Amino acid sequence: MMRLLLLRHAKSSWDVSGQPDFDRPLAARGRRAATMIGEHLSTHRLIPDRILCSSAKRTRETLTGLLPLISTDLDIRITRDLYEVGADVYIDTISALGGGARTLLLIGHNPTVQDTALELIGNGNPALRDEIAGKFPTAGLAVIDFELHKWSELRPQTGRVVAFFRPRELEVVGGEPPSDDE
């Protein structure tokens, strides 16, 4: 079994007027959410062997928030190929760069993260698929399992959705007050 973790970058800042989209950093709330997601990955043993991350500033900063909570060696690939592209490119990138990772984390952007999840999910809990279809918030994380031997075998509708986490839910569990997750 192989596991794909699809993570939308955490909440970005819109404080600088006219700043190019590619260069937008995380907001303070986004930095907190990235750390929370990292803690969640660690606590629930959802530790990737390899990470594919968009080269946009907000995705790299999301990755930076996760790294202190991952205590194993891993391979990180930062690529512009995950910025402003469609689900077909995400799937091709996973197939080409997933390598031998048993658990692969992709940190990207919406709507493509959401579209990729929906394109890959073939079965699993239908309520989770409906939640993903309804809204994939910033720092949202979909967990999808595949009966594959290598990522190059990845095909649409072959995954089984096993979990979908939102920062708002993790804040409630952690005792912090919920906030707008968009």
Side-chain angles (χ1 to χ4, degrees):
M1 180 193 72
M2 299 178 91
R3 174 165 282 172
L4 177 63
L5 309 172
L6 286 173
L7 176 63
R8 182 178 175 195
H9 65 78
K11 178 70 177 168
S12 60
S13 172
W14 292 86
D15 291 345
V16 179
S17 178
Q19 183 173 45
D21 180 70
F22 187 83
D23 298 327
R24 275 190 297 118
L26 291 183
R29 190 174 84 216
R31 288 190 297 279
R32 288 190 304 273
T35 300
M36 224 182 333
I37 290 294
E39 290 170 353
H40 187 77
L41 291 173
S42 179
T43 300
H44 295 281
R45 298 182 184 180
L46 295 170
I47 303 300
D49 306 306
R50 176 173 284 178
I51 298 174
L52 305 177
C53 181
S54 163
S55 58
K57 186 168 187 164
R58 60 192 176 275
T59 49
R60 290 182 286 121
E61 288 185 355
T62 299
L63 172 61
T64 299
L66 303 174
L67 287 179
L69 300 150
I70 298 175
S71 61
T72 62
D73 291 337
L74 48 88
D75 180 14
I76 300 172
R77 307 282 175 101
I78 298 175
T79 177
R80 189 159 180 122
D81 292 346
L82 296 174
Y83 181 72
E84 290 191 338
V85 295
D88 56 333
V89 175
Y90 272 33
I91 292 169
D92 289 347
T93 301
I94 293 165
S95 293
L97 300 179
R102 303 309 296 165
T103 301
L104 178 66
L105 169 62
L106 184 146
I107 305 171
H109 309 270
N110 242 15
T112 310
V113 169
Q114 181 178 30
D115 293 344
T116 300
L118 295 172
E119 182 69 20
L120 291 174
I121 295 168
N123 57 45
N125 184 335
L128 291 176
R129 188 183 193 292
D130 290 347
E131 289 175 27
I132 290 168
K135 184 175 185 181
F136 205 116
T138 53
L141 175 72
V143 181
I144 307 169
D145 287 346
F146 298 87
E147 293 296 328
L148 303 173
H149 294 90
K150 51 189 173 183
W151 288 108
S152 60
E153 299 171 350
L154 185 66
R155 300 291 177 267
Q157 307 302 306
T158 59
R160 179 174 58 87
V161 62
V162 295
F164 183 50
F165 303 105
R166 294 167 211 78
R168 175 177 286 186
E169 294 162 349
L170 300 179
E171 287 175 344
V172 170
V173 169
E176 295 178 27
S179 62
D180 179 16
D181 60 359
E182 200 35 58

